[in-house]
Amino acid sequence: MSSDLNPEDRPAANTAVVRDALRRPLHDLRISVLDQCNFRCPYCMPEDEFHADYEFLNRQQRLSYEEILRIAQVAARLGVSKLRLTGGEPLLDKRIPDLVAGLAAIPGIDDLALTTNAMLLAPMARKLADAGLHRVTISLDSLDEDVFRRMSGGRGDLSQVLDGVAAAQRAGLSPIKINVVVQRGVNDHTVLELLEHFRGTGHIVRLIEFMDVGNRNGWRLDQVVPSRQLLEQVRERWPLRRIDQNYPGEVARRYEYVDGAGEIGFISSVTEPFCGDCSRARLSADGMLYTCLFANQGTDLRESLRNDADDEELADILSQIWLQRADRYSELRRPELAEAHVLRKVEMYRIGG
Ligand code: SF4
């Protein structure tokens, strides 16, 4: 089954595709299953704030699997065909193959992916694949041991992460995408080494411009390495050619090595924003629905669920949220405001990237 199908062409049982105020369809739901993580990446969950006594959501505060499944089923009826499980770090939840099995059974879902830092992936890859997971995206910012350790807040183990990548490949969780957040003066000098490592493996490396997500990463524009600059650097080493999007709304600009060593992508939210066909909604682990990665407010679906809203009511709530949606933060971003961190935005660890 190919996840590259154009969503408009895919018939799904009694689906009424809803479009937002900019005519963008609701196609992609990202589900954060928990807010905890085993890393402390400084640009997302800095150690000094997320210390040992930090109070994360407890089981009661988090949506149950039944609640997540209900939202996903209703979302599928409104046109969602792609689900992504994320966190925090979703594999900290050992029961997650059960959730995967439930989501994989929803009619109309033809792309079920999971984003992880892969530290816990090796022992779980087979179970996830058997449960119905299609593919994984792995956050891996560098293969330089020191840089990797710094960027994971001293908690990551590179060999364990690479074991996870190998286990995912053996389990058929592919295409495996490797997401690299590139920060000037932090890991940009190790990008070519990482690309070299994954050339010829079939894994797709995506180089991501450092974004002003959340409120804690001290973002400045001069820390961003524009994708076009990175593209030139890569081209000097290996000839590349541009290839078409898999479907409208795909975030990465795709290229392939002319020598056949595979595909890489560039995700350029800062210098080449792609809000025009953004079809993504995000559900936090405590049931808040956000319509943009940089949202400053969401809608509490947990309250409706726990006040016995039926599926029709849930569908109305979701449709109304999406119909009124007009988000295009990246297109309207004003770096001076972003650098001043005046806008209170949802934290990335609560909704996944
Ligand atoms: S900034 Fe918001 S609207 Fe734009 S692409 Fe990102 S999530 Fe979508």
Side-chain angles (χ1 to χ4, degrees):
M1 192 252 343
S2 158
S3 61
D4 303 340
L5 276 176
N6 181 330
E8 273 78 15
D9 306 336
R10 179 189 44 69
N14 62 35
T15 301
V17 173
V18 284
R19 292 178 176 275
D20 71 9
L22 305 177
R23 304 300 300 149
R24 299 168 294 186
L26 172 56
H27 163 237
D28 180 337
L29 178 63
R30 300 184 173 200
I31 301 169
S32 170
V33 292
L34 81 175
D35 58 345
Q36 295 170 40
C37 186
N38 48 356
F39 279 11
R40 289 290 180 274
C41 305
Y43 59 78
C44 177
M45 225 187 223
E47 184 82 48
D48 56 355
E49 293 204 35
F50 295 88
H51 41 69
D53 306 325
Y54 184 86
E55 288 201 12
F56 289 100
L57 296 169
N58 62 37
R59 176 78 58 102
Q60 179 52 27
Q61 292 168 315
R62 293 202 303 263
L63 291 181
S64 66
Y65 284 1
E66 293 68 31
E67 291 169 329
I68 292 174
L69 285 169
R70 279 196 59 203
I71 293 172
Q73 280 151 0
V74 168
R77 282 177 31 213
L78 298 173
V80 165
S81 62
K82 177 178 173 179
L83 296 175
R84 175 177 297 281
L85 290 171
T86 184
E89 172 48 47
L91 299 186
L92 284 171
D93 181 348
K94 295 291 171 250
R95 301 170 307 126
I96 203 166
D98 300 342
L99 178 60
V100 166
L103 295 170
I106 297 175
I109 298 301
D110 57 24
D111 186 6
L112 180 53
L114 179 143
T115 299
T116 172
N117 60 33
M119 271 287 279
L120 304 169
L121 184 54
M124 292 185 78
R126 170 56 54 200
K127 281 191 222 112
L128 291 164
D130 292 348
L133 188 69
H134 298 148
R135 59 191 180 86
V136 290
T137 296
I138 292 166
S139 306
L140 175 57
D141 295 325
S142 182
L143 288 179
D144 176 293
E145 290 271 4
D146 294 339
V147 173
F148 172 77
R149 195 165 299 112
R150 254 198 323 276
M151 292 188 83
S152 64
R155 302 229 184 157
D157 177 312
L158 205 42
S159 63
Q160 233 176 297
V161 168
L162 294 174
D163 288 350
V165 175
Q169 182 166 26
R170 287 193 302 274
L173 293 171
S174 46
I176 296 174
K177 296 183 177 176
I178 310 285
N179 279 1
V180 183
V181 176
V182 182
Q183 276 184 275
R184 192 184 300 285
V186 178
N187 63 334
D188 53 332
H189 61 292
T190 69
V191 165
L192 293 182
E193 175 199 10
L194 186 143
L195 289 174
E196 175 71 66
H197 177 88
F198 287 112
R199 272 170 48 82
T201 63
H203 307 333
I204 302 170
V205 175
R206 287 116 57 90
L207 303 175
I208 305 174
E209 289 181 344
F210 179 47
M211 293 179 277
D212 52 320
V213 285
N215 311 291
R216 293 182 163 91
N217 68 4
W219 184 88
R220 293 194 322 278
L221 188 58
D222 62 12
Q223 296 167 305
V224 176
V225 181
S227 289
R228 67 183 173 283
Q229 191 185 323
L230 269 178
L231 178 61
E232 285 325 304
Q233 267 177 344
V234 178
R235 275 203 158 119
E236 275 161 29
R237 184 80 168 269
W238 303 287
L240 294 173
R241 66 173 152 251
R242 182 80 186 270
I243 51 179
D244 294 337
Q245 303 299 88
N246 285 311
Y247 58 84
E250 185 175 24
V251 290
R253 286 256 165 93
R254 304 171 64 213
Y255 290 81
E256 63 182 6
Y257 296 107
V258 169
D259 65 5
E263 177 184 340
I264 65 172
F266 294 85
I267 299 178
S268 319
S269 162
V270 178
T271 61
E272 300 161 55
F274 38 79
C275 303
D277 46 29
C278 174
S279 54
R280 292 172 290 282
R282 293 169 164 88
L283 181 67
S284 68
D286 55 357
M288 295 294 288
L289 191 87
Y290 296 93
T291 56
C292 176
L293 178 59
F294 303 91
N296 52 25
Q297 61 178 24
T299 304
D300 186 348
L301 298 182
R302 184 185 62 188
E303 191 184 357
S304 305
L305 282 162
R306 295 184 182 178
N307 287 332
D308 304 325
D310 63 22
D311 286 358
E312 289 320 307
E313 287 164 308
L314 267 183
D316 285 348
I317 295 168
L318 270 175
S319 305
Q320 285 315 312
I321 295 167
W322 196 258
L323 286 166
Q324 289 155 25
R325 177 197 189 227
D327 298 283
R328 39 197 286 260
Y329 174 87
S330 287
E331 285 176 356
L332 304 173
R333 178 188 283 110
R334 290 178 48 206
E336 68 282 5
L337 282 183
E339 289 184 351
H341 298 282
V342 285
L343 303 168
R344 296 300 300 169
K345 291 168 276 174
V346 59
E347 292 296 347
M348 185 159 86
Y349 76 90
R350 282 179 38 72
I351 52 172

PDB file of all heavy atoms in Angstrom, residues 24 251 269 273-276 278-280 282 291-295 325-331 333, ligand 1:
ATOM      1  N   ARG A  24      -8.030  24.378   2.419  1.00  0.00           N
ATOM      2  CA  ARG A  24      -7.107  23.262   2.638  1.00  0.00           C
ATOM      3  C   ARG A  24      -7.854  22.096   3.306  1.00  0.00           C
ATOM      4  O   ARG A  24      -8.548  22.314   4.307  1.00  0.00           O
ATOM      5  CB  ARG A  24      -5.941  23.712   3.532  1.00  0.00           C
ATOM      6  CG  ARG A  24      -5.121  24.845   2.919  1.00  0.00           C
ATOM      7  CD  ARG A  24      -4.158  25.470   3.908  1.00  0.00           C
ATOM      8  NE  ARG A  24      -4.870  26.159   4.981  1.00  0.00           N
ATOM      9  CZ  ARG A  24      -4.211  26.895   5.908  1.00  0.00           C
ATOM     10  NH1 ARG A  24      -2.891  27.007   5.886  1.00  0.00           N
ATOM     11  NH2 ARG A  24      -4.897  27.507   6.880  1.00  0.00           N
ATOM     12  N   VAL A 251       5.495  18.248   3.325  1.00  0.00           N
ATOM     13  CA  VAL A 251       6.296  19.371   3.834  1.00  0.00           C
ATOM     14  C   VAL A 251       7.674  19.455   3.199  1.00  0.00           C
ATOM     15  O   VAL A 251       8.216  20.545   3.040  1.00  0.00           O
ATOM     16  CB  VAL A 251       6.453  19.298   5.375  1.00  0.00           C
ATOM     17  CG1 VAL A 251       5.141  19.582   6.052  1.00  0.00           C
ATOM     18  CG2 VAL A 251       7.016  17.972   5.825  1.00  0.00           C
ATOM     19  N   SER A 269      10.547  25.823   6.786  1.00  0.00           N
ATOM     20  CA  SER A 269       9.426  26.599   7.321  1.00  0.00           C
ATOM     21  C   SER A 269       9.759  28.072   7.468  1.00  0.00           C
ATOM     22  O   SER A 269       8.879  28.921   7.398  1.00  0.00           O
ATOM     23  CB  SER A 269       9.034  26.025   8.696  1.00  0.00           C
ATOM     24  OG  SER A 269       8.266  26.939   9.428  1.00  0.00           O
ATOM     25  N   PRO A 273       8.208  29.061   3.449  1.00  0.00           N
ATOM     26  CA  PRO A 273       7.057  28.484   4.160  1.00  0.00           C
ATOM     27  C   PRO A 273       6.082  27.778   3.224  1.00  0.00           C
ATOM     28  O   PRO A 273       5.980  28.132   2.046  1.00  0.00           O
ATOM     29  CB  PRO A 273       6.408  29.688   4.841  1.00  0.00           C
ATOM     30  CG  PRO A 273       7.000  30.893   4.227  1.00  0.00           C
ATOM     31  CD  PRO A 273       8.322  30.505   3.650  1.00  0.00           C
ATOM     32  N   PHE A 274       5.390  26.796   3.760  1.00  0.00           N
ATOM     33  CA  PHE A 274       4.516  25.935   2.949  1.00  0.00           C
ATOM     34  C   PHE A 274       3.116  25.852   3.542  1.00  0.00           C
ATOM     35  O   PHE A 274       2.462  24.814   3.506  1.00  0.00           O
ATOM     36  CB  PHE A 274       5.142  24.539   2.834  1.00  0.00           C
ATOM     37  CG  PHE A 274       5.823  24.064   4.088  1.00  0.00           C
ATOM     38  CD1 PHE A 274       5.100  23.562   5.139  1.00  0.00           C
ATOM     39  CD2 PHE A 274       7.204  24.154   4.214  1.00  0.00           C
ATOM     40  CE1 PHE A 274       5.724  23.136   6.305  1.00  0.00           C
ATOM     41  CE2 PHE A 274       7.843  23.732   5.375  1.00  0.00           C
ATOM     42  CZ  PHE A 274       7.103  23.217   6.431  1.00  0.00           C
ATOM     43  N   CYS A 275       2.658  26.981   4.102  1.00  0.00           N
ATOM     44  CA  CYS A 275       1.337  26.957   4.739  1.00  0.00           C
ATOM     45  C   CYS A 275       0.214  26.786   3.713  1.00  0.00           C
ATOM     46  O   CYS A 275      -0.881  26.358   4.053  1.00  0.00           O
ATOM     47  CB  CYS A 275       1.101  28.257   5.524  1.00  0.00           C
ATOM     48  SG  CYS A 275       2.360  28.573   6.768  1.00  0.00           S
ATOM     49  N   GLY A 276       0.514  27.132   2.460  1.00  0.00           N
ATOM     50  CA  GLY A 276      -0.523  27.181   1.423  1.00  0.00           C
ATOM     51  C   GLY A 276      -1.325  25.898   1.287  1.00  0.00           C
ATOM     52  O   GLY A 276      -2.526  25.939   1.040  1.00  0.00           O
ATOM     53  N   CYS A 278      -1.116  23.361   3.788  1.00  0.00           N
ATOM     54  CA  CYS A 278      -0.943  22.632   5.065  1.00  0.00           C
ATOM     55  C   CYS A 278      -2.257  21.996   5.492  1.00  0.00           C
ATOM     56  O   CYS A 278      -3.247  22.694   5.717  1.00  0.00           O
ATOM     57  CB  CYS A 278      -0.451  23.581   6.157  1.00  0.00           C
ATOM     58  SG  CYS A 278      -0.399  22.793   7.779  1.00  0.00           S
ATOM     59  N   SER A 279      -2.247  20.702   5.643  1.00  0.00           N
ATOM     60  CA  SER A 279      -3.488  19.948   5.913  1.00  0.00           C
ATOM     61  C   SER A 279      -3.382  19.183   7.224  1.00  0.00           C
ATOM     62  O   SER A 279      -3.969  18.120   7.382  1.00  0.00           O
ATOM     63  CB  SER A 279      -3.694  18.964   4.754  1.00  0.00           C
ATOM     64  OG  SER A 279      -2.520  18.174   4.596  1.00  0.00           O
ATOM     65  N   ARG A 280      -2.589  19.731   8.192  1.00  0.00           N
ATOM     66  CA  ARG A 280      -2.281  19.016   9.426  1.00  0.00           C
ATOM     67  C   ARG A 280      -2.988  19.583  10.645  1.00  0.00           C
ATOM     68  O   ARG A 280      -2.984  20.796  10.881  1.00  0.00           O
ATOM     69  CB  ARG A 280      -0.758  19.074   9.675  1.00  0.00           C
ATOM     70  CG  ARG A 280       0.047  18.281   8.663  1.00  0.00           C
ATOM     71  CD  ARG A 280       1.534  18.515   8.807  1.00  0.00           C
ATOM     72  NE  ARG A 280       1.939  19.845   8.388  1.00  0.00           N
ATOM     73  CZ  ARG A 280       2.086  20.212   7.117  1.00  0.00           C
ATOM     74  NH1 ARG A 280       1.824  19.347   6.144  1.00  0.00           N
ATOM     75  NH2 ARG A 280       2.474  21.429   6.794  1.00  0.00           N
ATOM     76  N   ARG A 282      -3.220  18.743  15.007  1.00  0.00           N
ATOM     77  CA  ARG A 282      -2.408  18.117  16.045  1.00  0.00           C
ATOM     78  C   ARG A 282      -3.217  17.948  17.318  1.00  0.00           C
ATOM     79  O   ARG A 282      -3.870  18.875  17.774  1.00  0.00           O
ATOM     80  CB  ARG A 282      -1.170  18.969  16.323  1.00  0.00           C
ATOM     81  CG  ARG A 282      -0.194  19.003  15.134  1.00  0.00           C
ATOM     82  CD  ARG A 282       0.876  20.056  15.312  1.00  0.00           C
ATOM     83  NE  ARG A 282       1.976  19.821  14.383  1.00  0.00           N
ATOM     84  CZ  ARG A 282       2.019  20.296  13.157  1.00  0.00           C
ATOM     85  NH1 ARG A 282       0.996  20.994  12.659  1.00  0.00           N
ATOM     86  NH2 ARG A 282       3.067  20.062  12.375  1.00  0.00           N
ATOM     87  N   THR A 291      -4.504  23.565  15.420  1.00  0.00           N
ATOM     88  CA  THR A 291      -4.556  23.562  13.952  1.00  0.00           C
ATOM     89  C   THR A 291      -3.286  24.122  13.326  1.00  0.00           C
ATOM     90  O   THR A 291      -3.235  24.345  12.115  1.00  0.00           O
ATOM     91  CB  THR A 291      -5.778  24.383  13.478  1.00  0.00           C
ATOM     92  OG1 THR A 291      -5.684  25.697  14.049  1.00  0.00           O
ATOM     93  CG2 THR A 291      -7.070  23.720  13.873  1.00  0.00           C
ATOM     94  N   CYS A 292      -2.245  24.373  14.162  1.00  0.00           N
ATOM     95  CA  CYS A 292      -0.970  24.850  13.633  1.00  0.00           C
ATOM     96  C   CYS A 292       0.129  24.529  14.638  1.00  0.00           C
ATOM     97  O   CYS A 292      -0.112  24.545  15.847  1.00  0.00           O
ATOM     98  CB  CYS A 292      -1.032  26.365  13.399  1.00  0.00           C
ATOM     99  SG  CYS A 292       0.527  27.083  12.865  1.00  0.00           S
ATOM    100  N   LEU A 293       1.328  24.229  14.139  1.00  0.00           N
ATOM    101  CA  LEU A 293       2.462  23.934  15.010  1.00  0.00           C
ATOM    102  C   LEU A 293       2.785  25.114  15.920  1.00  0.00           C
ATOM    103  O   LEU A 293       3.308  24.964  17.007  1.00  0.00           O
ATOM    104  CB  LEU A 293       3.686  23.600  14.144  1.00  0.00           C
ATOM    105  CG  LEU A 293       5.014  23.309  14.817  1.00  0.00           C
ATOM    106  CD1 LEU A 293       4.902  22.123  15.768  1.00  0.00           C
ATOM    107  CD2 LEU A 293       6.094  23.045  13.782  1.00  0.00           C
ATOM    108  N   PHE A 294       2.435  26.320  15.456  1.00  0.00           N
ATOM    109  CA  PHE A 294       2.760  27.541  16.200  1.00  0.00           C
ATOM    110  C   PHE A 294       1.510  28.143  16.836  1.00  0.00           C
ATOM    111  O   PHE A 294       1.457  29.338  17.124  1.00  0.00           O
ATOM    112  CB  PHE A 294       3.419  28.551  15.263  1.00  0.00           C
ATOM    113  CG  PHE A 294       4.662  28.037  14.593  1.00  0.00           C
ATOM    114  CD1 PHE A 294       4.597  27.404  13.361  1.00  0.00           C
ATOM    115  CD2 PHE A 294       5.886  28.149  15.200  1.00  0.00           C
ATOM    116  CE1 PHE A 294       5.731  26.908  12.742  1.00  0.00           C
ATOM    117  CE2 PHE A 294       7.038  27.665  14.596  1.00  0.00           C
ATOM    118  CZ  PHE A 294       6.958  27.032  13.360  1.00  0.00           C
ATOM    119  N   ALA A 295       0.500  27.294  17.059  1.00  0.00           N
ATOM    120  CA  ALA A 295      -0.759  27.811  17.619  1.00  0.00           C
ATOM    121  C   ALA A 295      -0.545  28.362  19.028  1.00  0.00           C
ATOM    122  O   ALA A 295       0.338  27.927  19.751  1.00  0.00           O
ATOM    123  CB  ALA A 295      -1.792  26.685  17.658  1.00  0.00           C
ATOM    124  N   ARG A 325     -10.523  27.479  10.379  1.00  0.00           N
ATOM    125  CA  ARG A 325      -9.063  27.558  10.430  1.00  0.00           C
ATOM    126  C   ARG A 325      -8.516  28.454   9.318  1.00  0.00           C
ATOM    127  O   ARG A 325      -8.919  28.326   8.186  1.00  0.00           O
ATOM    128  CB  ARG A 325      -8.473  26.159  10.299  1.00  0.00           C
ATOM    129  CG  ARG A 325      -6.940  26.120  10.274  1.00  0.00           C
ATOM    130  CD  ARG A 325      -6.466  24.793   9.729  1.00  0.00           C
ATOM    131  NE  ARG A 325      -5.037  24.614   9.863  1.00  0.00           N
ATOM    132  CZ  ARG A 325      -4.257  24.174   8.883  1.00  0.00           C
ATOM    133  NH1 ARG A 325      -4.777  23.904   7.706  1.00  0.00           N
ATOM    134  NH2 ARG A 325      -2.960  24.017   9.065  1.00  0.00           N
ATOM    135  N   ALA A 326      -7.584  29.345   9.690  1.00  0.00           N
ATOM    136  CA  ALA A 326      -6.943  30.219   8.682  1.00  0.00           C
ATOM    137  C   ALA A 326      -5.463  30.362   8.983  1.00  0.00           C
ATOM    138  O   ALA A 326      -4.808  31.277   8.505  1.00  0.00           O
ATOM    139  CB  ALA A 326      -7.627  31.586   8.690  1.00  0.00           C
ATOM    140  N   ASP A 327      -4.916  29.418   9.759  1.00  0.00           N
ATOM    141  CA  ASP A 327      -3.512  29.495  10.174  1.00  0.00           C
ATOM    142  C   ASP A 327      -2.562  29.557   8.969  1.00  0.00           C
ATOM    143  O   ASP A 327      -2.735  28.836   7.999  1.00  0.00           O
ATOM    144  CB  ASP A 327      -3.117  28.252  10.982  1.00  0.00           C
ATOM    145  CG  ASP A 327      -3.930  28.113  12.264  1.00  0.00           C
ATOM    146  OD1 ASP A 327      -3.633  28.840  13.224  1.00  0.00           O
ATOM    147  OD2 ASP A 327      -4.866  27.303  12.257  1.00  0.00           O
ATOM    148  N   ARG A 328      -1.573  30.431   9.070  1.00  0.00           N
ATOM    149  CA  ARG A 328      -0.453  30.443   8.135  1.00  0.00           C
ATOM    150  C   ARG A 328       0.718  31.171   8.795  1.00  0.00           C
ATOM    151  O   ARG A 328       1.315  32.098   8.249  1.00  0.00           O
ATOM    152  CB  ARG A 328      -0.812  31.033   6.790  1.00  0.00           C
ATOM    153  CG  ARG A 328      -1.739  32.258   6.838  1.00  0.00           C
ATOM    154  CD  ARG A 328      -2.384  32.533   5.506  1.00  0.00           C
ATOM    155  NE  ARG A 328      -1.446  33.105   4.574  1.00  0.00           N
ATOM    156  CZ  ARG A 328      -1.377  34.409   4.294  1.00  0.00           C
ATOM    157  NH1 ARG A 328      -2.237  35.241   4.870  1.00  0.00           N
ATOM    158  NH2 ARG A 328      -0.486  34.868   3.451  1.00  0.00           N
ATOM    159  N   TYR A 329       1.024  30.686  10.010  1.00  0.00           N
ATOM    160  CA  TYR A 329       2.036  31.372  10.838  1.00  0.00           C
ATOM    161  C   TYR A 329       3.338  31.581  10.090  1.00  0.00           C
ATOM    162  O   TYR A 329       3.910  32.677  10.090  1.00  0.00           O
ATOM    163  CB  TYR A 329       2.297  30.577  12.132  1.00  0.00           C
ATOM    164  CG  TYR A 329       3.421  31.153  12.961  1.00  0.00           C
ATOM    165  CD1 TYR A 329       3.178  32.161  13.884  1.00  0.00           C
ATOM    166  CD2 TYR A 329       4.729  30.711  12.784  1.00  0.00           C
ATOM    167  CE1 TYR A 329       4.206  32.725  14.629  1.00  0.00           C
ATOM    168  CE2 TYR A 329       5.771  31.262  13.517  1.00  0.00           C
ATOM    169  CZ  TYR A 329       5.506  32.261  14.439  1.00  0.00           C
ATOM    170  OH  TYR A 329       6.536  32.829  15.158  1.00  0.00           O
ATOM    171  N   SER A 330       3.845  30.535   9.466  1.00  0.00           N
ATOM    172  CA  SER A 330       5.181  30.642   8.851  1.00  0.00           C
ATOM    173  C   SER A 330       5.217  31.667   7.732  1.00  0.00           C
ATOM    174  O   SER A 330       6.221  32.336   7.528  1.00  0.00           O
ATOM    175  CB  SER A 330       5.622  29.273   8.318  1.00  0.00           C
ATOM    176  OG  SER A 330       5.953  28.443   9.406  1.00  0.00           O
ATOM    177  N   GLU A 331       4.114  31.820   7.031  1.00  0.00           N
ATOM    178  CA  GLU A 331       4.065  32.820   5.947  1.00  0.00           C
ATOM    179  C   GLU A 331       4.022  34.228   6.531  1.00  0.00           C
ATOM    180  O   GLU A 331       4.491  35.177   5.906  1.00  0.00           O
ATOM    181  CB  GLU A 331       2.846  32.570   5.068  1.00  0.00           C
ATOM    182  CG  GLU A 331       3.021  31.366   4.156  1.00  0.00           C
ATOM    183  CD  GLU A 331       1.768  31.051   3.341  1.00  0.00           C
ATOM    184  OE1 GLU A 331       0.735  31.723   3.544  1.00  0.00           O
ATOM    185  OE2 GLU A 331       1.842  30.100   2.536  1.00  0.00           O
ATOM    186  N   ARG A 333       5.267  35.005   9.609  1.00  0.00           N
ATOM    187  CA  ARG A 333       6.267  35.133  10.682  1.00  0.00           C
ATOM    188  C   ARG A 333       7.041  36.459  10.546  1.00  0.00           C
ATOM    189  O   ARG A 333       7.487  36.796   9.470  1.00  0.00           O
ATOM    190  CB  ARG A 333       7.257  33.970  10.635  1.00  0.00           C
ATOM    191  CG  ARG A 333       8.358  34.058  11.688  1.00  0.00           C
ATOM    192  CD  ARG A 333       9.419  33.004  11.471  1.00  0.00           C
ATOM    193  NE  ARG A 333       8.987  31.677  11.912  1.00  0.00           N
ATOM    194  CZ  ARG A 333       8.717  30.668  11.102  1.00  0.00           C
ATOM    195  NH1 ARG A 333       8.792  30.836   9.803  1.00  0.00           N
ATOM    196  NH2 ARG A 333       8.365  29.494  11.590  1.00  0.00           N
TER     197      ARG A 333
HETATM  198  S1  SF4 B   1       3.032  27.231  10.207  1.00  0.00           S
HETATM  199 FE1  SF4 B   1       1.088  26.272  10.757  1.00  0.00          FE
HETATM  200  S2  SF4 B   1      -0.183  26.529   8.941  1.00  0.00           S
HETATM  201 FE2  SF4 B   1       1.934  26.879   8.313  1.00  0.00          FE
HETATM  202  S3  SF4 B   1       2.663  24.903   7.595  1.00  0.00           S
HETATM  203 FE3  SF4 B   1       3.220  25.051   9.747  1.00  0.00          FE
HETATM  204  S4  SF4 B   1       1.532  24.075  10.854  1.00  0.00           S
HETATM  205 FE4  SF4 B   1       0.819  24.531   8.791  1.00  0.00          FE
END
